[in-house]
Amino acid sequence: EIRACNAGITISTFMLDYAVGVYEVAHPMRENYLESMRLHNLGTPVITPQEVRGISASTPPIVELRKIIFEDVTAPVSALRAIMSLSQAVEHAVNAIESRNELLEKFRSNQYPDGFGFTEMYYGIPVGGVAHRDYHDIVMNLAETSDEMLFFSEVLCVELYEHASALRKSLKTFSKEPVVVRKLLLRPDAEARQVRVREKYKDWYASMKPIQDMRRKWWQFWRK
């Protein structure tokens, strides 16, 4: 099980790297998009070539990580919740990147709905009371999704490390052989980024606290 935890930590670290890659594209893209929209509203739109460039949509090994968490490790509840949230975030990220690439291809080939052009489709500007906000929503949501992946990847690294460390401690009774447990270590710049992300999801751990059941037992109703 410790070996399975180490494998899970390795994949979770890879997932974190994947999240960083999406983060480093999605956040600047969102900031540039918002600035471009602000300039458009002022009458001087500026769209750089980078804003209409496709993004790679590779899928990280989330299936293998999910198998480790659910089948190979007696994972704590927090790890089970984290892998479900991470799986959902990865799916959303991959779908968003693929959908954006498809929209960009339509933009390049001038495939627009009747009455719409690039500007209307890019900014989600209504035409005749109808607005196509697909591109706008993708840009906004992809940045949020990258934060989710950063947070839950780190949660899994920490949870699996703590679980494996507890198992290693119990093994001291049976063996004197050294048991290695992998641990995520962050550089100062990465730590600064994660501090911001942790603050954003600070209530997540609070929702994991067990609730004490204060209800009286059925036999207690007869006691005076």
Side-chain angles (χ1 to χ4, degrees):
E1 185 167 359
I2 290 176
R3 284 196 293 269
C5 285
N6 281 331
I9 293 169
T10 300
I11 299 178
S12 297
T13 303
F14 181 87
M15 297 298 300
L16 184 60
D17 290 338
Y18 177 85
V20 170
V22 177
Y23 174 92
E24 290 179 345
V25 171
H27 276 263
M29 182 170 64
R30 182 174 66 177
E31 295 304 315
N32 292 338
Y33 180 81
L34 291 174
E35 177 63 13
S36 177
M37 182 177 291
R38 185 185 72 82
L39 293 174
H40 171 79
N41 293 334
L42 295 175
T44 56
V46 176
I47 301 174
T48 64
Q50 288 79 6
E51 306 315 304
V52 288
R53 184 178 59 189
I55 306 172
S56 174
S58 60
T59 303
I62 189 67
V63 174
E64 292 80 358
L65 181 57
R66 190 162 53 228
K67 177 183 180 300
I68 290 174
I69 301 297
F70 281 107
E71 299 179 19
D72 302 336
V73 177
T74 54
V77 174
S78 52
L80 296 176
R81 283 193 61 190
I83 187 59
M84 288 187 286
S85 297
L86 179 59
S87 298
Q88 187 177 53
V90 168
E91 180 180 0
H92 288 169
V94 172
N95 289 340
I97 292 171
E98 291 177 346
S99 297
R100 179 178 178 274
N101 289 342
E102 291 173 3
L103 279 174
L104 290 177
E105 188 60 34
K106 290 181 179 179
F107 292 170
R108 295 187 187 99
S109 56
N110 295 318
Q111 297 179 28
Y112 306 115
D114 290 341
F116 287 82
F118 172 77
T119 302
E120 291 77 17
M121 295 294 291
Y122 185 79
Y123 293 114
I125 299 172
V127 174
V130 177
H132 291 272
R133 295 177 57 86
D134 292 353
Y135 189 85
H136 172 277
D137 292 344
I138 287 172
V139 172
M140 295 295 106
N141 294 335
L142 189 57
E144 294 298 317
T145 300
S146 70
D147 285 351
E148 292 180 13
M149 292 191 296
L150 286 172
F151 177 73
F152 291 113
S153 295
E154 184 184 25
V155 167
L156 285 172
C157 288
V158 173
E159 292 291 332
L160 289 173
Y161 170 77
E162 292 181 350
H163 182 63
S165 295
L167 292 173
R168 179 173 61 180
K169 186 177 180 180
S170 68
L171 283 176
K172 290 182 178 180
T173 307
F174 304 100
S175 174
K176 294 183 180 180
E177 294 296 323
V179 179
V180 177
V181 177
R182 296 181 61 85
K183 184 177 183 180
L184 173 67
L185 297 176
L186 297 173
R187 300 187 307 271
D189 57 330
E191 177 64 24
R193 181 197 61 237
Q194 291 301 119
V195 166
R196 183 194 67 80
V197 173
R198 292 177 206 136
E199 177 63 21
K200 184 176 180 179
Y201 295 96
K202 62 182 179 181
D203 293 334
W204 187 80
Y205 272 111
S207 67
M208 299 295 300
K209 292 181 179 179
I211 300 176
Q212 184 177 0
D213 190 352
M214 301 300 294
R215 293 175 298 178
R216 301 178 66 183
K217 306 299 183 183
W218 65 269
W219 63 83
Q220 289 178 318
F221 288 109
W222 300 101
R223 297 177 58 186
K224 294 184 180 179

